[in-house]
Amino acid sequence: YETSDATIDSQITTLQASGAEVLLVAATPKFAAQAIRKVHDLGWKPMFVMTNVAISVGTVMVPAGPENSIGMLSTNYLKDSTDPRWANDPGMNEWRAFMNKYMPGADQTDLSYVYAYGAAQTMLLVLKQCDGNFSRENIMKQAANVKDLVLGVALPGIKVNTSPTNFHPIKAMQMIRWDGKTWAPIGEIIEGTST
């Protein structure tokens, strides 16, 4: 689809007509919500996998109708602010205090804010590691040398690590399944290889 498209209904209908039994949607939140609604409206029951970019309860699941995607699969590496498991979590409480102070009225069900907070925490560490030398070269060097950073908004066991040969900061995720109210974890944290 093109991001300028009004809907992706025709694409979803075409995919259903193909006989596909598995649907992987790698879409932005607006189009992810549309995909969920259309799959439901068609009565189509594929194994439904959603990219973790578009699993926000506030910007995808609620607009799509939380009951319309029960059983949908995805992955995550962040704590979901709507998940009761994190209601009294110190890292999420720190995030909530930040949001209440600096972004009052913002939709705290939007996972993008959790992501942005974690990214900002990571950048803060990089700038501290610069030790006052903010040349592009040194910032890049420090960004490529993050070691075992634990973010308060990351799932337990997930750390940020980079190296000069591997710039990917997150190498682990949790499989999750939508139960109609929240994303339920499936199994253990899975981790890719790193160098």
Side-chain angles (χ1 to χ4, degrees):
Y1 70 92
E2 297 294 328
T3 56
S4 58
D5 291 347
T7 73
I8 59 169
D9 288 357
S10 65
Q11 290 92 331
I12 297 297
T13 301
T14 300
L15 289 168
Q16 181 203 27
S18 77
E21 296 176 7
V22 177
L23 175 63
L24 168 64
V25 174
T28 58
K30 169 188 167 184
F31 294 105
Q34 289 180 4
I36 292 167
R37 280 194 307 270
K38 188 63 177 177
V39 166
H40 178 266
D41 291 349
L42 291 170
W44 187 20
K45 302 286 185 201
M47 176 188 288
F48 198 160
V49 183
M50 181 64 69
T51 179
N52 67 11
V53 171
I55 61 169
S56 171
V57 172
T59 60
V60 177
M61 307 313 290
V62 169
E67 69 286 351
N68 291 341
S69 54
I70 294 172
M72 186 168 64
L73 302 169
S74 192
T75 60
N76 202 2
Y77 54 91
L78 296 169
K79 296 172 185 169
D80 185 337
S81 62
T82 67
D83 189 328
R85 291 182 300 153
W86 313 119
N88 294 309
D89 179 75
M92 289 305 288
N93 285 341
E94 182 181 293
W95 172 79
R96 285 183 195 94
F98 174 89
M99 292 295 291
N100 291 336
K101 182 176 181 179
Y102 296 106
M103 299 189 71
D107 180 3
Q108 291 189 19
T109 67
D110 183 345
L111 190 60
S112 299
Y113 290 120
V114 178
Y115 166 79
Y117 186 81
Q121 285 182 314
T122 305
M123 191 63 197
L124 180 60
L125 173 77
V126 168
L127 294 174
K128 286 179 179 178
Q129 287 179 180
C130 284
D131 197 29
N133 176 359
F134 300 117
S135 66
R136 182 185 193 289
E137 179 182 14
N138 193 43
I139 290 172
M140 294 303 291
K141 177 182 174 186
Q142 299 310 319
N145 284 287
V146 175
K147 304 291 181 228
D148 293 328
L149 175 61
V150 175
L151 300 172
V153 295
L155 292 174
I158 294 183
K159 298 177 181 176
V160 177
N161 283 289
T162 59
S163 75
T165 59
N166 191 335
F167 301 135
H168 298 97
I170 305 283
K171 298 168 189 72
M173 298 187 154
Q174 173 77 59
M175 285 293 303
I176 54 178
R177 179 181 290 116
W178 180 250
D179 67 11
K181 294 181 181 167
T182 192
W183 288 101
I186 303 170
E188 302 296 319
I189 299 288
I190 53 176
E191 189 165 348
T193 59
S194 61
T195 57

